[in-house]
Amino acid sequence: MKKATFLLSALVTGTFSFAQEKPNIIVILADDLGFSDLGCFGGEINTPNLDKLSENGLRITQMYNSARSCPSRACLLTGLYPHQAGLGHMDGKSPEWPRGYAGMRSNDNVTIAEVMKDAGYFTAMAGKWHVGKAKTPIDRGFDEYYGLLGGFDSFWNPDVYTRLPEDRTSRTYKEDEFYATNVITDYAIDFINQANDKKQPLFLYLAYNAPHFPLQAPKEVTDKYMETYMQGWDQIRDERWKRIAKMGIMQGNPDLSPRGMVTESFHVDENYPLPAWNSLTSDQQKDLARRMAIFAAMVDIMDENIGKVIRTLKDNNQFENTFIIFMSDNGACAEWHEFGFDFRTGVKYHTHVGQELDSMGLKGTYHHYGTGWANACNTPLNLYKHFAHEGGISTPCIVSWGNKIKDKGGIDYQPCHFSDIMATCIELAGTTYPETYKGNKITPIAGISILPVVKGEKMPERYIYAEHEGNRMVRQGNWKLVSAHFNKDQWELYNIAVDRTEQHNLAPQYPEKVKDLTKAYFEWADKSDVIYFPKLYNKYAKGRKADLKEYEEKH
């Protein structure tokens, strides 16, 4: 394999001081987890294992994803911005769309698994794939796979989950024993033990589909959260904010963003403010509290399973030599209004009453919690999944690596990005990013290694970008330029070091900074296959109910 040479040598060489033995690498990804859902990020959900991981590790509070499942996963796996890999929107194969949106390609990019496999790693994946079914995880460098190839489905139904390669023997479960989060973890532990038996370093991508809708969990776990969430989203949000401030999660001294809004979308015609919890009827409150209690139960169960993974590593005497990074693929999911939805994604919902409440989250049900709880789950940030504002692209991030974390239990405020995970794995493995792979020229990597953060050092200043569905962002240093399509694509400027919650738009005061960052954004967009999404959608989306409004000539 031909090797690339980079100006930033730390990106691709083993310059970080660690044991001569190659470390295991485990990337854990949650699905639709809000910024403050974990206990160690200010939440009330019981997450003792992740909290302990953070106590002995490091919390990175400004790790950016790509605002939604497919783009974030493509970005994480390839070290590229999602449009560069063909997943600027979602995972459906759309060859008639422009190349940034036509579907995940395999002829001009590599996955972390492909690079790690060539570096001698045993590569395995357990969980949600969601970057298209044209190529499976096995096709893209993973030795072993179990999970959900698509985006979301029942947590109770084993038939929608896949074991690959096809000649592998699947685990068997008794009737009513199957629950996806537990089973995904069972396979992850199998894969950890396989690598240990083979005496190979491990690269494991553990991508839970929890706590994404449909919200489903055992009744006994849901029940223990009902009293908590009957307090309502306003009270929960206030309590989270107090804990966040006490913990020092936020850089500077930002204001708490106000109670949010339901935004204009494919399903909602115009923006309107979220209602206060005490304005809802008693039946509405009980229904909504039950939805959030199921969500919390899913996070609780995920944390319990992550504890099993950690114990397995310790039993194998591999924990100290394992680099673990935990993240979420996007911010909390506000789809599509304050009452959530039932039956399928959309705006139809049913207010459950009486005994109906007890059956919520069990087999055959389908629920989501809605915008009010998404606003609380993203406390104190602005907006949600889909958006390039902080609430859409910020993930709670925990890094653990035995005794190699310099500031154990610390908090780091430096901006990082999902595209950095590839470069980080490359440095950990002491390998290089290829210029060519299987005869194809490979797009140069977009990210850089975050190991300086682990060492307590400064990352180099750079530009970081995001675009999804016309929502756009460019970050340079402390400055962030951002726009939302529902706000007519108007650029807003924030100093994130003092205003992480994006409450003080400085665009009128700093027009030259707006001009400079706008220029940088469009230069990136032009070379990264980014197209102005409303114009793209209106031209290529077949069967659309209505056109999206177009506000700008360019991008």
Side-chain angles (χ1 to χ4, degrees):
M1 183 186 296
K2 192 174 179 181
K3 308 299 182 184
T5 302
F6 292 95
L7 292 177
L8 292 173
S9 62
L11 178 70
V12 293
T13 60
T15 57
F16 186 70
S17 177
F18 54 81
Q20 190 171 6
E21 182 183 2
K22 288 183 178 181
N24 304 306
I25 302 168
I26 300 181
V27 176
I28 305 176
L29 192 66
D31 198 352
D32 282 5
L33 186 76
F35 181 77
S36 59
D37 283 329
L38 304 181
C40 54
F41 276 79
E44 66 292 324
I45 301 173
N46 186 39
T47 55
N49 293 294
L50 285 167
D51 296 349
K52 184 70 172 177
L53 206 66
S54 76
E55 287 173 15
N56 295 308
L58 182 70
R59 281 166 287 178
I60 298 175
T61 65
Q62 295 189 36
M63 171 66 79
Y64 288 136
N65 51 50
S66 295
R68 203 169 178 193
S69 176
C70 303
S72 290
R73 291 162 201 275
C75 180
L76 187 159
L77 282 166
T78 66
L80 305 176
Y81 284 101
H83 310 74
Q84 294 179 291
L87 269 181
H89 190 222
M90 295 298 281
D91 71 328
K93 195 70 176 173
S94 305
E96 71 279 9
W97 285 50
R99 63 183 271 111
Y101 305 83
M104 181 80 166
R105 295 188 301 275
S106 59
N107 62 354
D108 62 356
N109 63 75
V110 287
T111 67
I112 301 174
E114 288 168 331
V115 176
M116 294 296 104
K117 192 170 186 175
D118 280 359
Y121 275 70
F122 178 82
T123 58
M125 179 182 174
K128 175 173 166 177
W129 181 235
H130 207 202
V131 290
K133 297 180 182 179
K135 299 289 184 180
T136 71
I138 303 303
D139 298 324
R140 296 309 309 267
F142 289 99
D143 295 313
E144 302 289 340
Y145 173 74
Y146 175 84
L148 185 68
L149 291 172
F152 50 91
D153 215 312
S154 171
F155 284 76
W156 300 111
N157 182 8
D159 294 339
V160 299
Y161 296 84
T162 301
R163 177 73 169 101
L164 295 173
E166 292 181 356
D167 63 356
R168 300 300 195 260
T169 301
S170 297
R171 281 174 159 266
T172 58
Y173 293 87
K174 297 176 184 177
E175 188 175 354
D176 297 329
E177 188 180 14
F178 184 96
Y179 182 73
T181 304
N182 298 335
V183 175
I184 286 168
T185 305
D186 288 344
Y187 278 97
I189 289 171
D190 288 345
F191 300 153
I192 291 169
N193 288 331
Q194 278 184 256
N196 192 57
D197 292 343
K198 290 174 177 287
K199 301 191 184 307
Q200 280 183 270
L202 167 72
F203 172 72
L204 172 65
Y205 177 34
L206 177 51
Y208 289 108
N209 51 334
H212 194 289
F213 64 80
L215 301 182
Q216 296 175 334
K219 180 180 180 297
E220 63 272 15
V221 188
T222 299
D223 284 346
K224 73 181 188 180
Y225 287 102
M226 270 301 286
E227 183 178 351
T228 296
Y229 293 115
M230 280 301 296
Q231 297 175 85
W233 49 56
D234 293 321
Q235 181 68 24
I236 292 295
R237 199 162 179 264
D238 287 345
E239 291 177 357
R240 286 193 182 193
W241 175 233
K242 291 174 184 175
R243 289 191 292 269
I244 287 167
K246 185 176 180 180
M247 289 177 175
I249 298 294
M250 291 288 105
Q251 184 181 19
N253 189 27
D255 299 325
L256 173 64
S257 60
R259 186 192 303 122
M261 66 172 72
V262 174
T263 61
E264 173 189 303
S265 68
F266 293 112
H267 297 276
V268 176
D269 291 335
E270 58 185 24
N271 307 322
Y272 62 89
L274 277 169
W277 181 261
N278 62 14
S279 72
L280 303 174
T281 68
S282 175
D283 284 345
Q284 288 172 331
Q285 289 178 348
K286 290 175 184 175
D287 172 85
L288 286 164
R290 192 69 179 178
R291 294 170 190 266
M292 183 61 198
I294 302 166
F295 177 92
M298 296 169 78
V299 177
D300 184 313
I301 294 166
M302 179 181 66
D303 178 86
E304 180 183 358
N305 277 277
I306 290 170
K308 294 177 185 176
V309 169
I310 293 168
R311 286 193 294 275
T312 301
L313 292 169
K314 290 181 176 179
D315 289 344
N316 292 344
N317 294 317
Q318 290 294 321
F319 180 72
E320 291 294 319
N321 190 42
T322 301
F323 180 93
I324 301 172
I325 185 165
F326 173 92
M327 301 174 292
S328 178
D329 63 343
N330 43 248
C333 180
E335 298 170 4
W336 296 100
H337 56 54
E338 67 269 35
F339 296 112
F341 53 75
D342 297 292
F343 318 115
R344 57 172 294 177
T345 182
V347 294
K348 291 184 179 180
Y349 73 97
H350 170 69
T351 301
H352 299 77
V353 296
Q355 292 183 347
E356 288 181 315
L357 293 167
D358 286 340
S359 68
M360 291 178 72
L362 303 183
K363 286 184 180 180
T365 64
Y366 197 108
H367 316 291
H368 185 48
Y369 67 5
T371 312
W373 285 122
N375 186 226
C377 290
N378 269 347
T379 305
L381 304 178
N382 187 26
L383 292 175
Y384 334 96
K385 172 182 175 179
H386 294 264
F387 297 101
H389 285 72
E390 293 294 286
I393 60 173
S394 299
T395 171
C397 178
I398 302 168
V399 175
S400 169
W401 193 15
N403 291 317
K404 299 178 182 68
I405 304 287
K406 181 172 182 180
D407 184 18
K408 277 196 172 186
I411 296 171
D412 191 276
Y413 305 117
Q414 297 182 77
C416 303
H417 191 259
F418 267 30
S419 63
D420 298 338
I421 306 308
M422 168 73 88
T424 305
C425 291
I426 284 171
E427 185 170 355
L428 286 165
T431 189
T432 54
Y433 184 82
E435 288 182 349
T436 62
Y437 186 77
K438 293 184 177 179
N440 295 313
K441 185 177 180 180
I442 301 302
T443 304
I445 196 170
I448 61 176
S449 172
I450 66 168
L451 288 187
V453 176
V454 176
K455 292 191 288 183
E457 298 175 355
K458 291 290 184 184
M459 295 272 286
E461 187 172 303
R462 54 178 167 151
Y463 290 96
I464 297 175
Y465 305 92
E467 188 280 334
H468 184 66
E469 295 183 334
N471 304 305
R472 310 166 297 178
M473 182 279 287
V474 54
R475 171 95 186 251
Q476 182 195 30
N478 293 328
W479 291 105
K480 178 182 177 183
L481 188 71
V482 63
S483 71
H485 181 253
F486 78 82
N487 195 31
K488 301 181 179 179
D489 296 334
Q490 294 299 305
W491 287 116
E492 305 161 21
L493 180 69
Y494 299 102
N495 182 344
I496 297 298
V498 296
D499 186 21
R500 180 78 191 281
T501 56
E502 298 167 316
Q503 296 304 297
H504 304 282
N505 180 12
L506 301 176
Q509 291 98 304
Y510 296 95
E512 288 302 312
K513 179 60 70 174
V514 172
K515 182 179 178 181
D516 290 345
L517 290 175
T518 302
K519 181 174 182 288
Y521 173 83
F522 286 132
E523 287 176 352
W524 166 78
D526 285 339
K527 71 180 183 181
S528 301
D529 298 320
V530 178
I531 296 174
Y532 181 50
F533 186 77
K535 185 170 289 188
L536 173 83
Y537 181 83
N538 294 342
K539 182 176 180 179
Y540 293 101
K542 297 177 181 179
R544 63 187 181 277
K545 294 180 181 179
D547 284 356
L548 294 177
K549 296 172 184 176
E550 297 183 27
Y551 300 107
E552 289 201 355
E553 287 296 318
K554 185 177 182 183
H555 300 300

